[in-house]
Amino acid sequence: MVLALNGSHLYGNLRPLALEEPRALGGGRMIAGSWPPRSLAKLGPSPPPSALPTASPLPANDSQCGEQILSYGSAEKVLIGAVLCLITLLTIAGNCLVVISVCFVKKLRQPSNYLIVSLALADLSVALAVMPFVSVTDLIGGEWIFGRLFCNVFIAMDVMCCTASILTLCVISIDREIMLHERTARCIISRV
């Protein structure tokens, strides 16, 4: 891939490896993480700028959380907002019902159902800590408006809650497999 600089726009996908224009840096100084000028010269002559794909400039978003700005009409925003709110509310209600039912029905208080409660709590945390902020960000066009600090907290919560949900599903599948082997062993022993 060949890099070309045209003013302030960089053509190509190797943005961190490119050099600023030497005139702007006062000679041949390099930016940290960039290739030396000799290495760039080895890539070959750069074709005219029209032959290279251009990357659209990033929107003026200070937090860098929303990389692509989406634009919806007012009717689309209402429809998308209603669907996202409905999904969030159903997720909250459904997971609360699971937790409440296992807590209050004595027949459901079994160790294997505790894993189901753990999964419901992990999914409930996603519904409360992640889904509303994703919905708002999507509805306003993809721009993160909650600040840089909360962006980092949000990303950490998203990764942590989703990972907890996925790992709980893995533990449930292992538990079900163990229960299946125990039932099979009991069945075989009872036939002998």
Side-chain angles (χ1 to χ4, degrees):
M1 172 172 222
V2 178
L3 299 175
L5 294 169
N6 183 6
S8 64
H9 297 292
L10 175 67
Y11 297 95
N13 293 327
L14 297 176
R15 184 180 193 104
L17 301 175
L19 291 172
E20 292 290 332
E21 294 210 25
R23 290 185 304 273
L25 292 174
R29 291 189 318 156
M30 292 184 354
I31 298 174
S34 64
W35 291 349
R38 301 183 285 285
S39 298
L40 284 177
K42 291 178 185 177
L43 293 175
S46 61
S50 60
L52 292 173
T54 60
S56 61
L58 290 175
N61 184 359
D62 188 44
S63 66
Q64 302 275 328
C65 270
E67 292 186 9
Q68 182 179 8
I69 299 297
L70 307 170
S71 60
Y72 299 118
S74 57
E76 292 170 326
K77 282 185 181 181
V78 169
L79 180 64
I80 291 171
V83 169
L84 291 175
C85 285
L86 180 67
I87 291 171
T88 302
L89 291 175
L90 287 175
T91 304
I92 292 169
N95 287 305
C96 284
L97 285 174
V98 168
V99 173
I100 290 169
S101 64
V102 172
C103 287
F104 289 119
V105 177
K106 288 188 178 185
K107 283 186 174 182
L108 295 177
R109 290 188 205 157
Q110 299 173 3
S112 61
N113 287 341
Y114 296 156
L115 293 173
I116 302 296
V117 171
S118 176
L119 178 63
L121 290 174
D123 290 342
L124 186 63
S125 65
V126 170
L128 293 173
V130 176
M131 290 172 72
F133 301 105
V134 171
S135 299
V136 169
T137 301
D138 191 36
L139 287 176
I140 63 170
E143 185 176 349
W144 184 259
I145 61 168
F146 301 106
R148 184 182 301 260
L149 177 66
F150 189 70
C151 177
N152 292 332
V153 171
F154 168 77
I155 291 170
M157 288 296 294
D158 186 16
V159 170
M160 182 179 63
C161 295
C162 291
T163 303
S165 180
I166 292 167
L167 291 178
T168 304
L169 282 172
C170 292
V171 171
I172 288 171
S173 67
I174 292 169
D175 179 60
R176 298 295 184 224
E177 183 69 24
I178 291 171
M179 287 175 56
L180 177 68
H181 286 292
E182 287 176 356
R183 286 182 190 158
T184 306
R186 273 190 248 138
C187 187
I188 292 173
I189 291 173
S190 66
R191 288 182 187 171
V192 173

